[in-house]
Every structure is written in C-alpha cells, then in structure tokens.
Amino acid sequence: MTTLVCTSASKAAAPAAQTLPYPSFSSYVKARQPVLLRTARSLTGNPSDAEDLLQTALTKTYVAWERIEDHRALDGYVRRALLNTRTSQWRKRKVDEFACEELPEPEPVAGGDDPAEQQALRDAMWRAIMRLPARQRAMVVLRYYEDLSEVQTAEVLGVSVGTVKSAVSRALGKLRDDAELGLVRQ
C-alpha cells in the first residue's frame, strides 16, 4: 500500500527514539490516500499504475513538505503533482512520427507466401483435420503437430505401430482429397 512504503521508509531512516520529521505528513497520507488514489486511477485507468503514480506524487510532496506554506491546500498540491507526473510520463512515451510520401512496406518473407495466405491455409487445414474421425485426428495431431514418432504415437494411444501407420495413411489421403484444402492451395 502506498502509505506503508512512505512511513516505513521514514521510520527506517529515523532512529527509534526520534519522532518523524513530518508527523503531519503521515497523518495526511493516512487520511487522504483513498481520495488521492481515486484521482490517480482516473488519470491512469490502471490500478497498479495509479498506485505508482500516487507514490511518486507523495514522494514529491514529502520532499517539498517544508516549503508548502498553506497545508490547507495540500490536496491541490498533490493533485497538481499527480497531473504533472502523469504528463511527464506521457511525454517520455511519445513516439516521433514523420510524414513521408511512401509507406514503408515490410520485406517479403523468404519462401514467398503472403502471411494472410499462410494463415488461410492453416485455418483450412485445421478445419479439415477436425472433419477426420476422432481416432485418425488424434494420430495425425500426435504425429505431425506434436512431432511424435510412430512408436511413441502407438504407445500414447495404446495401439500397434501398424495401426498408427495405416490410420495416418488413410487420414492423409482424406486430407489430400479435401475440397476446401484444394481450393486454398490453388
């Protein structure tokens, strides 16, 4: 929690016999932390980022505590620190954009196929595999997607190696004859 970090750091720095240099800062943080955290959440939209933002703003407030003359205006001071800190974060993340006449295009992938066409082929392949009978589908997936050997596939499914060979052969024949795959490959 934000307040624990701040007070723990202060207590660790001060000897046990002394009081905190700013006892009213701790009481201020304890009293106003929920309200200030809501403000930080409205600036960030993410609870974790809001806690970090509030911690940074409270650290800045703690450092400037002696210079703050009117402690009745602390909420305004902390809110301004929240806003300034968040604005600094936005500026640091800014990416420079440059206008140009031509849009940069990625280099073609070696092997030549368009990524969209490759994805369409993968999708069609999965649909075709899903149309196979369950036993053949399991064997094809184990052999070619999980990269198991025929012996390993047979052990996993509890069948003979010959059964795996014949079932995979029949499944591959069905996939070669699949009309949807034929359309995608052309």
Side-chain angles (χ1 to χ4, degrees):
M1 193 157 126
T2 305
T3 55
L4 295 177
V5 172
C6 210
T7 57
S8 298
S10 300
K11 288 179 185 177
Q18 292 181 350
T19 59
L20 292 172
Y22 306 119
S24 59
F25 178 78
S26 297
S27 60
Y28 171 75
V29 170
K30 287 178 186 172
R32 302 300 297 164
Q33 188 259 347
V35 173
L36 296 171
L37 187 57
R38 276 196 301 272
T39 303
R41 281 189 185 142
S42 69
L43 290 172
T44 62
N46 178 340
S48 299
D49 290 342
E51 289 175 2
D52 291 342
L53 179 63
L54 180 59
Q55 183 66 39
T56 304
L58 288 175
T59 302
K60 291 178 181 181
T61 304
Y62 182 80
V63 169
W65 192 258
E66 291 178 337
R67 292 178 286 147
I68 300 173
E69 294 176 9
D70 186 8
H71 283 216
R72 292 174 293 172
L74 280 173
D75 280 353
Y77 184 90
V78 175
R79 284 192 179 104
R80 175 50 63 183
L82 285 167
L83 187 59
N84 289 346
T85 303
R86 185 63 179 156
T87 302
S88 295
Q89 291 172 349
W90 287 333
R91 287 180 181 149
K92 287 178 186 173
R93 293 182 186 159
K94 184 179 177 185
V95 175
D96 293 328
E97 294 180 16
F98 301 99
C100 58
E101 293 181 23
E102 285 186 38
L103 290 175
E105 295 294 327
E107 293 295 321
V109 179
D113 289 343
D114 180 24
E117 291 174 8
Q118 291 175 356
Q119 185 62 45
L121 181 59
R122 277 193 291 277
D123 291 344
M125 179 62 77
W126 272 112
R127 284 191 299 274
I129 288 172
M130 293 307 292
R131 286 191 292 271
L132 292 172
R135 186 172 170 165
Q136 288 180 359
R137 180 174 52 237
M139 291 181 190
V140 167
V141 168
L142 289 172
R143 280 286 291 127
Y144 298 104
Y145 285 92
E146 296 296 324
D147 201 26
L148 297 181
S149 68
E150 292 169 343
V151 174
Q152 291 170 322
T153 303
E155 288 174 5
V156 168
L157 296 175
V159 296
S160 70
V161 176
T163 303
V164 171
K165 288 180 180 182
S166 63
V168 167
S169 176
R170 284 192 300 276
L172 292 177
K174 288 180 182 180
L175 291 174
R176 279 187 209 99
D177 294 338
D178 191 278
E180 185 182 359
L181 281 176
L183 292 173
V184 175
R185 283 184 270 169
Q186 292 175 358

